């Protein structure tokens, strides 16, 4: 069975930081492109950051310069470091994986985690 499990969400004040983790089992994570997505009430799910198997990264304009995606393939884990958090970052955050980077960018990856809530207070 393939499973992705997110952790690290919580409540933080504006300007604070959180680090989200996505741990994978049932697949060789290092072979996959991985994305972090978020969805707030009333909004569509959006791609926040992505990392290819080779390590190159993508960031949405709204988080560029504040968020950093990274991976530790030996631990089958991908991270999202979130700094300078804003109330508008409040959302349910998901990680997802696919062998195709294009599929990640189109928000249609094969495997999804259950998500973790991030709430930023003002």
């Amino acid at each position: 069975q393939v499973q992705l499990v997110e952790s690290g969400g919580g409540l933080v004040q504006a300007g604070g930081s959180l680090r989200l983790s996505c741990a994978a089992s049932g697949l060789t994570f290092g072979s996959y492109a991985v994305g972090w997505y978020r969805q707030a009430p009333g909004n569509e799910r959006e791609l926040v950051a992505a990392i290819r198997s080779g390590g190159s990264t993508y960031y949405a304009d709204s988080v560029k310069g504040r968020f950093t995606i990274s991976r530790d393939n030996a631990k089958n884990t991908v991270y999202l470091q979130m700094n300078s958090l804003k109330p508008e970052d409040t959302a349910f955050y998901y990680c997802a994986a696919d062998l195709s980077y294009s599929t990640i960018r189109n928000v249609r990856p094969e495997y999804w985690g259950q998500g973790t809530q991030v709430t930023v207070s003002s």
Side-chain angles (χ1 to χ4, degrees):
Q1 293 182 340
V2 173
Q3 187 174 27
L4 305 180
V5 179
E6 300 94 336
S7 62
L11 174 65
V12 65
Q13 294 185 14
S17 299
L18 287 173
R19 189 180 74 158
L20 306 183
S21 298
C22 176
S25 61
L27 76 169
T28 302
F29 217 16
S31 299
Y32 286 75
V34 179
W36 281 99
Y37 306 81
R38 68 185 182 189
Q39 187 167 25
N43 293 343
E44 295 184 346
R45 184 173 296 179
E46 63 175 339
L47 177 64
V48 174
I51 187 165
R52 303 182 76 159
S53 60
S56 61
T57 58
Y58 159 86
Y59 299 96
D61 288 342
S62 59
V63 307
K64 194 171 298 181
R66 300 188 297 121
F67 291 11
T68 302
I69 189 170
S70 62
R71 67 194 306 160
D72 186 340
N73 291 334
K75 296 181 178 179
N76 260 17
T77 301
V78 170
Y79 305 95
L80 184 67
Q81 179 67 47
M82 305 185 295
N83 298 327
S84 302
L85 283 162
K86 305 175 181 179
E88 51 262 46
D89 294 319
T90 295
F92 205 72
Y93 283 72
Y94 303 85
C95 70
D98 200 285
L99 288 171
S100 170
Y101 179 67
S102 295
T103 304
I104 293 289
R105 292 292 304 274
N106 290 324
V107 201
R108 299 181 68 180
E110 183 175 5
Y111 302 111
W112 291 85
Q114 294 298 307
T116 185
Q117 178 68 40
V118 172
T119 302
V120 184
S121 62
S122 60

